[in-house]
């Protein structure tokens, strides 16, 4: 039995992390038996990050590692895709995980209106005074990293302008079918839909959360992927 180590469900999504949502989708797509173990503190897991899976005595970390492990067990997430479509799928995954995801980080951790809710829900197990001290340092470290990454230098309006072409690319791709590459979900859907779902689920209304929630095509897509893979 595979054990999925994941952040708990938050704000109506399966997990506070889109990468944990992706891992759950992958396990379901692979059709393997698994169980869930919710964790709030990732520090005892490899690289101090989640998700991870345990298989007997082995620990496989992060959603990419989980995907590769499952593919090594004969899961074929892209069996209906051509070589060109597989290359396009890879590009959508990288767009979602290496660009769109950081817009989500800035919208939740970098937004002064949203941050208190994120802090108190994500770190609610820590006593209040200690929570304020610990999370102040965590947030400052993350914002320093976002400044180095680049998005931390942009205003919210500039970030929305930067993100919009990604959303339009997804919309254009969805004009071909119910999922990114036709009538059945593939591995790209596990990444893209999970990130969009996390954006939509931000607990305080923001320009980004409203952009996703008000887009019927994108919202329907999020729900369709979750219904198919959840």
């Amino acid at each position: 039995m595979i054990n999925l180590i994941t952040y708990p469900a938050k704000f109506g999504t399966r997990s506070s992390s889109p990468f944990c949502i992706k891992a759950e989708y992958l396990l379901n797509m692979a059709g393997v038996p698994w169980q869930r173990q919710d964790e709030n503190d990732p520090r005892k897991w490899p690289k101090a990050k989640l998700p991870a899976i345990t298989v007997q005595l082995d620990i496989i970390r992060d959603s990419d590692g989980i995907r590769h492990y499952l593919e090594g067990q004969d899961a074929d997430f892209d069996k209906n895709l051509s070589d060109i479509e597989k290359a396009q799928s890879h590009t959508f995954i990288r767009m979602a995980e290496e660009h769109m995801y950081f817009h989500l980080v800035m919208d939740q951790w970098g937004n002064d209106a949203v941050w208190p809710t994120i802090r108190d829900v994500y770190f609610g197990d820590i006593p209040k005074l200690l929570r304020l001290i610990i999370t102040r340092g965590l947030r400052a470290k993350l914002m320093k990293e976002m400044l180095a990454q680049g998005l931390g230098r942009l205003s919210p309006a500039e970030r929305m302008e930067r993100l919009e072409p990604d959303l339009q690319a997804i919309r254009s791709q969805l004009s071909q079918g119910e999922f990114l590459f036709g009538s059945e979900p593939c591995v790209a859907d596990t990444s893209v839909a999970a990130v969009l779902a996390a954006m939509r689920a931000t607990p305080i209304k923001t320009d980004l959360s409203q952009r996703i929630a008000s887009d019927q095509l994108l919202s329907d897509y999020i729900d369709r992927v979750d219904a198919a893979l959840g």
Side-chain angles (χ1 to χ4, degrees):
M1 173 74 73
I2 294 174
N3 196 36
L4 171 64
I5 318 301
T6 179
Y7 291 115
K10 303 290 185 187
F11 310 127
T13 61
R14 296 179 180 276
S15 171
S16 59
S17 165
F19 298 101
C20 291
I21 298 172
K22 172 188 174 182
E24 186 169 334
Y25 287 163
L26 289 171
L27 289 165
N28 288 335
M29 285 182 76
V32 296
W34 64 278
Q35 61 188 9
R36 175 176 175 141
Q37 177 182 331
D38 285 353
E39 292 277 359
N40 282 312
D41 188 349
R43 288 175 295 179
K44 66 181 178 180
W45 300 99
K47 306 295 184 182
K49 296 178 71 175
L50 294 177
I53 59 173
T54 59
V55 185
Q56 297 178 345
L57 297 179
D58 294 327
I59 301 175
I60 294 94
R61 66 177 181 88
D62 75 45
S63 60
D64 269 351
I66 293 168
R67 174 190 173 179
H68 295 321
Y69 168 79
L70 293 172
E71 288 176 333
Q73 302 297 308
D74 295 327
D76 188 353
F77 299 116
D78 292 335
K79 59 179 178 293
N80 296 322
L81 272 58
S82 68
D83 288 344
I84 291 177
E85 287 172 330
K86 289 178 181 177
Q88 294 169 336
S89 171
H90 176 80
T91 302
F92 271 97
I93 293 168
R94 288 293 172 259
M95 181 181 76
E97 297 183 1
E98 306 295 341
H99 186 240
M100 293 171 59
Y101 170 72
F102 293 107
H103 286 271
L104 170 67
V105 170
M106 287 302 302
D107 203 47
Q108 294 188 349
W109 287 65
N111 188 324
D112 289 339
V114 179
W115 166 244
T117 301
I118 295 295
R119 177 195 63 210
D120 292 341
V121 172
Y122 286 8
F123 303 96
D125 292 341
I126 304 174
K128 185 174 182 180
L129 182 58
L130 188 59
R131 183 194 318 155
L132 294 175
I133 296 170
I134 291 174
T135 58
R136 186 181 298 120
L138 289 173
R139 188 190 190 205
K141 180 177 182 292
L142 182 56
M143 290 304 100
K144 184 178 180 180
E145 293 171 354
M146 292 306 303
L147 192 68
Q149 191 268 352
L151 286 183
R153 303 170 188 266
L154 304 181
S155 69
E158 288 172 327
R159 291 200 304 271
M160 288 299 297
E161 185 177 355
R162 185 73 62 87
L163 177 64
E164 186 61 28
D166 292 5
L167 301 180
Q168 291 301 326
I170 296 167
R171 286 181 56 85
S172 295
Q173 190 70 17
L174 288 172
S175 68
Q176 302 181 45
E178 294 183 337
F179 302 99
L180 288 173
F181 291 92
S183 60
E184 296 184 9
C186 69
V187 72
D189 294 293
T190 68
S191 291
V192 172
V195 171
L196 289 173
M199 289 175 167
R200 187 178 65 174
T202 296
I204 306 297
K205 288 184 179 179
T206 65
D207 289 343
L208 176 54
S209 69
Q210 289 298 97
R211 169 66 183 86
I212 306 303
S214 64
D215 190 316
Q216 196 65 51
L217 189 149
L218 293 181
S219 276
D220 287 348
Y221 167 67
I222 295 167
D223 296 338
R224 194 158 51 243
V225 172
D226 193 68
L229 301 180

